[in-house]
Amino acid sequence: LPWIAIFSGIICFIVVNLGLQKYCLFMPKSVFEGFTLAVALIIGLKQINYAFGLHGLDKHEHFIENVYESLKNLDKAEWGSMVLFFPQVVALYGLLMYVPKVPWMIVIPLLTIIFGYAFEGDDNGWNLPTLKTEFGVLSNVVAELPKMKALEECDNIVGLVVASASVALVAVLETLISAKIADFRSAGNQRGPFNEGREVSALSLAQVVCGVFGALPPTGVFVRTSVNQLNGATHLVAQLMNATLVLIV
């Protein structure tokens, strides 16, 4: 995967230098809004397991099959998760509507982290699955260089290039669509319309850097951009602070 990130970054660099990124946005505005709705539905339906405390379910290749798997196992729902999930959704919606100047999307997750830490496990009578339950303890290794041996032993270079090109295409489209939607919705944008070339150039650099450090290929994400906007961000420093805080964590 790190090598796919590096090759994908190189392909994105070629796209920028050939000026191909400008052709990716010849789509009606309804397509952009449809993309936003699709992302919202996928993210929302993925919360079913967390809302009802479902874990250890069978994983399927297709998204709709995973949704069906969750729905047919609702009888295994944990009351601890439901008691926490649904009230905080209502509270977050109401607070964002009536007290919008406070960054509730930061405050509430921090409070729930403390709550999850305090009530982790079954010993306290409150069975509350957390991200740790789902994914375990993540490694503290910040960076791990990709191994040249993995590339040398690859017996399907064409397949590697095709996979990298597919990742690059999805990354470019998702980045540009996310940026375009944010541009539509940003009345206080201080820098004017976004620049497609700059966006894809940054994407190219980010992918190569992530690959060199042994990470997965990144892409522009509308969810993070939307959170920034909802919290009143109008400057590039907001994203820089976002990246800095992630590095600190």
Side-chain angles (χ1 to χ4, degrees), residues 178-199:
S178 298
K180 191 66 175 178
I181 293 173
D183 191 43
F184 282 146
R185 298 182 175 183
S186 181
N189 188 356
Q190 299 175 359
R191 299 181 63 87
F194 83 103
N195 183 292
E196 296 95 339
R198 189 183 301 150
E199 294 285 342

Side-chain angles (χ1 to χ4, degrees), residues 81-193:
S81 295
M82 293 187 290
V83 167
L84 184 62
F85 181 87
F86 292 103
Q88 71 90 18
V89 169
V90 175
L92 180 59
Y93 182 80
L95 290 169
L96 286 173
M97 179 177 294
Y98 295 107
V99 196
K101 292 185 178 181
V102 178
W104 296 110
M105 287 190 174
I106 299 175
V107 175
I108 290 182
L110 287 176
L111 293 175
T112 56
I113 287 174
I114 297 172
F115 196 90
Y117 179 80
F119 292 95
E120 180 186 12
D122 301 328
D123 298 337
N124 46 50
W126 187 307
N127 188 6
L128 185 63
T130 62
L131 291 178
K132 181 181 176 182
T133 308
E134 184 76 13
F135 303 106
V137 179
L138 299 178
S139 170
N140 289 327
V141 177
V142 176
E144 183 177 352
L145 298 179
K147 296 177 175 60
M148 286 297 300
K149 185 177 180 181
L151 186 63
E152 294 169 356
E153 294 180 351
C154 179
D155 55 1
N156 188 6
I157 295 297
V158 174
L160 176 63
V161 173
V162 171
S164 301
S166 300
V167 170
L169 176 62
V170 172
V172 169
L173 286 174
E174 186 171 0
T175 298
L176 292 181
I177 290 175
S178 298
K180 191 66 175 178
I181 293 173
D183 191 43
F184 282 146
R185 298 182 175 183
S186 181
N189 188 356
Q190 299 175 359
R191 299 181 63 87

Side-chain angles (χ1 to χ4, degrees), residues 215-236:
L216 299 176
T219 179
V221 181
F222 178 69
V223 174
R224 191 178 299 113
T225 304
S226 179
V227 170
N228 262 344
Q229 287 184 314
L230 288 173
N231 283 315
T234 58
H235 198 276
L236 296 177

